[in-house]
């Protein structure tokens, strides 16, 4: 006895209906900070839900920040918020196939649960460039050029004072004492002895 094509199609339909995985809606809201400009509030944000099988679902938030994934299969999934200007945490979603309830927690801290519907806040503003440090005199002095200049000043002015031979010191003091009486004669127009 041969089965009719209608019976085969009916059997395949019933089989696929029994095998199909039930899906549930996941909704939430992005809480954007006050410092986020108007361009960030929707147009530059995308939500990506990575499913178990390697598939991805995408959603875009509305102007008020709310989003909806209408059909999410049961299982454990990862939700990423992609934004150029803000950094958002990764969220782990556990969708229960029996009850359809959604449990959410941060991926890096699974003990901290999120309410249902989800409320996701950004961690910080995205910084792509290192801020220029303010002027610092110590950094200039400790630079290679500053150290070279400091050593040259030390070598020119301070090192000659450190090297004093006792005999040279006596000669120097003697010539200074001889030059002092000549200072008064210089004011009268008399020639002065030169030190050698």
């Amino acid at each position: 006895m041969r089965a009719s094509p209608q019976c085969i199609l009916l059997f395949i339909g019933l089989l696929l209906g029994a095998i199909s995985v039930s899906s549930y809606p996941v909704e939430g809201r992005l809480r954007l900070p006050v410092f986020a400009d108007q361009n960030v509030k929707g147009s530059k944000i995308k939500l990506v839900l990575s499913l178990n099988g390697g598939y991805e679902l995408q959603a875009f938030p509305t102007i008020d920040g709310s989003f909806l994934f209408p059909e999410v299969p049961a299982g454990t999934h990862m939700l990423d918020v992609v934004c150029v200007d803000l950094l958002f945490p990764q969220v782990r979603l556990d969708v229960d196939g029996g009850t359809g309830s959604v449990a959410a927690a941060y991926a890096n801290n699974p003990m901290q649960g999120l309410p249902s519907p989800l409320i996701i806040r950004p961690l910080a503003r995205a910084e792509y460039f290192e801020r220029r440090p303010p002027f610092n005199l110590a950094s200039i002095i400790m630079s290679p050029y500053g150290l070279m200049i400091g050593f040259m000043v030390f070598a020119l002015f301070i090192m000659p004072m450190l090297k004093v031979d006792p005999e040279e010191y006596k000669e120097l003091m003697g010539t200074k004492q001889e030059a002092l009486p000549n200072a008064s004669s210089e004011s009268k127009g008399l020639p002065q002895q030169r030190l050698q």
Side-chain angles (χ1 to χ4, degrees), residues 11-21:
F11 177 72
I12 291 174
L14 289 174
L15 184 63
L16 288 177
I19 294 175
S20 69
V21 178

Side-chain angles (χ1 to χ4, degrees), residues 104-124:
Y106 292 119
N108 60 355
N109 188 5
M111 301 306 286
Q112 184 180 2
L114 292 173
S116 181
L118 300 174
I119 296 176
I120 304 173
R121 292 179 177 85
L123 297 173

Side-chain angles (χ1 to χ4, degrees), residues 168-181 195:
E168 289 179 11
Y169 181 72
K170 287 179 185 177
E171 285 181 25
L172 182 65
M173 293 307 284
T175 55
K176 279 187 179 180
Q177 288 177 359
E178 290 175 5
L180 288 177
L195 297 177

